[in-house]
């Protein structure tokens, strides 16, 4: 075997890999020029496309994403036009806002106080929900069986605390009367003299009365701040009630569009397959 043949045999695997990468980039170029979003998705993540769309896995499939990682923002921008249009039809209550090129965040609703609900991963066709906001809606749906709203327990606790504070205010005269009685009794005990055992009982009684007086004084101090605390709690209740109203809007929007929260979750999980299927159908 000649040296040329030996060298060719040794370099062929490398040549094949380079050829594959060149072919990948050429295919991607043609897909972009043809505005063929489906083909772009098929090329950008071939393993996922084969698994979820073609229903087959190819362990020998080369991963060429490193070749295009520096143009991901531009690719996202290119793919976002049709995707955002599609998402508007599937999630009419989400409002998308482009931030940097090819990156989107979305809000839930167009009403006052609407929330920032997450971001859009264009290349992976995925809604990346804000964990806290998503959990609020999920919990609100779960609480329906208990006939509760998301903030019902917190509002009840604050309302009960306000009732207690108001009672402190209302019972000020009773506490003043009791303090006067205790002080009179302490003076009487201090003036009394008796035997050793009697003196011990007097000391014990004075300690008990002083402890009760300290407790009542602490309640007086709390009552002095009660009006401010009630005002603060009312402001918290108002904020929580407004949040419950917003979550109520969100729940109703989901039910109107999907029928249930479970259907909403299932659609989120199948979004990639559903969108690619829509692109395929549009080509036929």
């Amino acid at each position: 075997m000649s040296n040329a043949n030996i060298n060719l045999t040794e370099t062929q695997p490398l040549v094949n890999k380079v050829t594959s990468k060149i072919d990948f980039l050429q295919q991607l170029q043609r897909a972009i020029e043809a505005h063929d979003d489906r083909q772009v998705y098929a090329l950008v993540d071939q393993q996922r496309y084969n698994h979820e769309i073609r229903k087959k896995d190819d362990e020998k499939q080369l991963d060429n994403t490193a070749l295009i990682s520096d143009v991901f923002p531009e690719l996202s921008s290119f793919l976002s036009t049709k995707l955002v249009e599609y998402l508007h039809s599937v999630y009419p209550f989400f409002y998308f806002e482009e931030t940097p090129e090819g990156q989107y965040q979305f809000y839930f609703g167009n009403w006052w106080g609407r929330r920032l609900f997450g971001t859009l991963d264009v290349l992976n066709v995925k809604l990346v929900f804000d964990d806290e906001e998503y959990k609020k809606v999920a919990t609100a749906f779960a609480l329906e069986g208990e006939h509760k709203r998301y903030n019902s327990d917190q509002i009840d606790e604050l309302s009960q605390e306000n009732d207690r504070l108001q009672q402190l205010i209302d019972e000020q005269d009773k506490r003043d009367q009791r303090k006067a009685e205790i002080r009179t009794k302490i003076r009487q005990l201090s003036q009394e003299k008796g035997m050793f055992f009697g003196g011990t009982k007097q000391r014990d009684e004075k300690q008990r009365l002083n402890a009760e007086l300290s407790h009542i004084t602490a309640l007086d101090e709390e009552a002095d701040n009660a009006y401010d605390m009630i005002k603060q709690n009312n402001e918290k209740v108002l904020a929580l009630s407004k949040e419950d109203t917003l979550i109520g809007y969100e729940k109703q929007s989901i039910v109107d569009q999907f029928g249930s929260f479970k259907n909403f979750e299932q659609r989120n999980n199948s979004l990639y397959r559903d969108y690619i299927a829509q692109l395929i159908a549009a080509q036929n």
Side-chain angles (χ1 to χ4, degrees), residues 87 89-94 96 106-109 117-118 127-130 133-139 141 249-272 274:
L87 292 174
S89 65
V90 178
Y91 306 92
F93 42 78
F94 286 159
F96 294 86
F106 60 95
Y107 294 84
F108 201 131
F117 212 69
L127 297 174
V128 183
F129 295 102
D130 180 280
E133 298 302 337
Y134 191 88
K135 184 179 179 181
K136 288 178 182 179
V137 178
T139 301
F141 272 102
Y249 291 157
E250 294 167 356
K251 284 176 57 185
Q252 190 58 52
S253 297
I254 290 172
V255 171
D256 289 344
Q257 182 68 9
F258 296 98
S260 69
F261 187 69
K262 181 179 180 180
N263 292 340
F264 172 66
E265 289 185 305
Q266 290 175 343
R267 191 61 188 272
N268 299 336
N269 293 333
S270 67
L271 187 57
Y272 177 87
D274 294 343

Side-chain angles (χ1 to χ4, degrees), residues 67-82:
L67 294 174
I68 56 173
S69 60
D70 62 327
V71 295
F72 277 175
E74 291 85 351
L75 275 175
S76 293
S77 181
F78 171 81
L79 293 168
S80 65
T81 302
K82 292 180 182 178

Side-chain angles (χ1 to χ4, degrees), residues 36-58 61 123-125 272-273 275-281 283-284:
D36 187 348
D37 289 26
R38 181 206 62 79
Q39 181 65 6
V40 173
Y41 277 112
L43 291 166
V44 167
D45 193 342
Q46 296 179 36
Q47 186 175 13
R48 184 183 186 189
Y49 189 91
N50 287 338
H51 176 72
E52 296 202 34
I53 306 302
R54 292 176 176 150
K55 303 299 181 183
K56 65 177 184 178
D57 295 315
D58 185 356
Q61 181 68 59
L123 292 180
N124 288 298
V125 192
Y272 177 87
R273 294 192 302 273
Y275 180 55
I276 300 300
Q278 190 268 348
L279 291 176
I280 293 173
Q283 290 179 329
N284 297 332

Side-chain angles (χ1 to χ4, degrees), residues 192-220:
E192 292 177 359
K193 296 181 180 180
M195 301 296 294
F196 175 77
F197 291 107
T200 300
K201 291 181 178 179
Q202 288 173 348
R203 286 196 297 273
D204 290 345
E205 179 65 7
K206 284 180 65 177
Q207 289 178 354
R208 186 191 68 78
L209 290 170
N210 280 318
E212 183 180 354
L213 185 60
S214 295
H215 174 67
I216 295 175
T217 302
L219 293 178
D220 285 346

